[in-house]
Amino acid sequence: DRTLIEGSSALHFGRAAYKHGLLSRRQLARDAWANVKFRLRGSTDADTDALRRRILDALAGQRVTDLQRLGPDVLAGILPLLYRDVLSEAYAHQDAGRRAYIVTAASQELAEVLAHVLVLDGGLGMRAEVRDGVYTGRPSGPFTYREGKAEAIRELAERERIDLSESYAYSDSESD
């Protein structure tokens, strides 16, 4: 959000969830207003924490499969908003032998799908706890925003044996 795409992916997720009956019209309107505020002024830590809590609460009891099926509709909204220069930069890094990942406050599932579609090496996003194929409403790992992004990157680097001192990052601490 605001680094790889113009605006927030949350609005596109909300539209898809509404279309599939997982979100009310009122909540969609609230999300649209939050997106306008995000685009105009960014977000505060309090706004971000409240959004994360609301998302986790909304996920509680939802089947993972149902949300994964929103993918085509979410991508249809996101892909036209890609900043091609940023994507070209990521591809240049890959062509030079360096891995390129998406790290976003959006969901892990969306990060993975988008990374796959864009032919990047992977995606890190907000992880939500799942039991028996259903979201519990609790987080499962760091919130991949601000310091949580750095924590998720360090965890990935440890798993993948990436020396971060040799890495190059295209990052804006205020965006995803």
Side-chain angles (χ1 to χ4, degrees):
D1 298 343
R2 296 186 346 166
T3 299
L4 183 59
I5 67 166
E6 179 183 333
S8 170
S9 62
L11 179 64
H12 302 286
F13 177 83
R15 283 182 185 158
Y18 173 75
K19 178 179 174 183
H20 290 261
L22 301 174
L23 192 66
S24 70
R25 183 176 291 187
R26 174 184 242 175
Q27 190 59 57
L28 181 63
R30 192 180 305 165
D31 289 346
W33 176 243
N35 186 54
V36 168
K37 289 191 318 187
F38 174 76
R39 290 184 70 166
L40 293 175
R41 65 179 176 130
S43 67
T44 66
D45 286 342
D47 292 340
T48 302
D49 290 342
L51 175 63
R52 179 185 191 204
R53 182 74 261 146
R54 202 182 74 216
I55 290 169
L56 287 170
D57 288 347
L59 288 176
Q62 297 287 334
R63 293 183 330 156
V64 173
T65 301
D66 292 336
L67 292 177
Q68 289 172 326
R69 290 175 180 163
L70 301 179
D73 289 325
V74 175
L75 288 176
I78 290 173
L79 292 177
L81 303 175
L82 286 173
Y83 290 131
R84 296 291 172 187
D85 292 345
V86 175
L87 193 55
S88 294
E89 180 79 13
Y91 291 156
H93 283 290
Q94 286 179 314
D95 292 346
R98 295 180 293 269
R99 291 179 262 183
Y101 293 86
I102 295 170
V103 185
T104 177
S107 74
Q108 177 66 33
E109 294 83 359
L110 179 58
E112 289 173 353
V113 167
L114 191 56
H116 178 78
V117 167
L118 298 177
V119 194
L120 297 176
D121 295 290
L124 297 174
M126 181 184 81
R127 294 186 316 260
E129 183 182 75
V130 175
R131 287 215 176 120
D132 299 322
V134 175
Y135 290 104
T136 66
R138 292 186 292 275
S140 175
F143 184 33
T144 45
Y145 183 76
R146 294 191 176 153
E147 179 52 38
K149 275 188 180 186
E151 184 180 340
I153 291 168
R154 286 189 296 269
E155 289 174 3
L156 171 76
E158 187 175 322
R159 271 192 319 273
E160 299 290 322
R161 296 190 171 133
I162 297 170
D163 182 356
L164 290 178
S165 68
E166 298 293 322
S167 296
Y168 172 88
Y170 180 90
S171 175
D172 175 351
S173 64
E174 294 297 316
S175 60
D176 299 321

